[in-house]
Amino acid sequence: MKIINKVLVSVSESDIKDGKFVNKTVTEVADRCFNDLPSLRAVSLPKAEKIGSDCFRSNQALTEISLPALTTAGS
């Protein structure tokens, strides 16, 4: 996982625990941050207000996304 100034830039398979990715500090997610993570089933980012484009592309196991603070989303 790479975070710069509360922006989640990248996530790898090793950052996923039991199919879930949780981070309670990031406020923004970069473009394509979660692409191609086969084990990813759920994402929880309670403080993320903005997500970039194509953040969740090619994640066929992903069934749950929690972004309660979200105000802006890319394509």
Side-chain angles (χ1 to χ4, degrees):
M1 166 176 25
K2 184 176 182 180
I3 300 172
I4 300 172
N5 296 325
K6 295 190 178 185
V7 177
L8 184 61
V9 177
S10 64
V11 174
S12 67
E13 284 288 330
S14 63
D15 301 318
I16 300 167
K17 307 296 181 220
D18 298 323
K20 298 176 185 175
F21 179 85
V22 178
N23 185 289
K24 297 179 181 179
T25 62
V26 300
T27 58
E28 187 174 335
V29 180
D31 293 347
R32 297 174 292 283
C33 187
F34 290 97
N35 281 5
D36 300 315
L37 298 168
S39 68
L40 185 63
R41 292 181 287 129
V43 173
S44 177
L45 300 166
K47 292 187 178 179
E49 298 174 357
K50 181 180 178 182
I51 61 170
S53 297
D54 297 321
C55 277
F56 303 106
R57 182 177 237 168
S58 300
N59 291 300
Q60 297 191 7
L62 183 60
T63 59
E64 183 180 334
I65 300 171
S66 177
L67 301 164
L70 187 69
T71 58
T72 305
S75 59

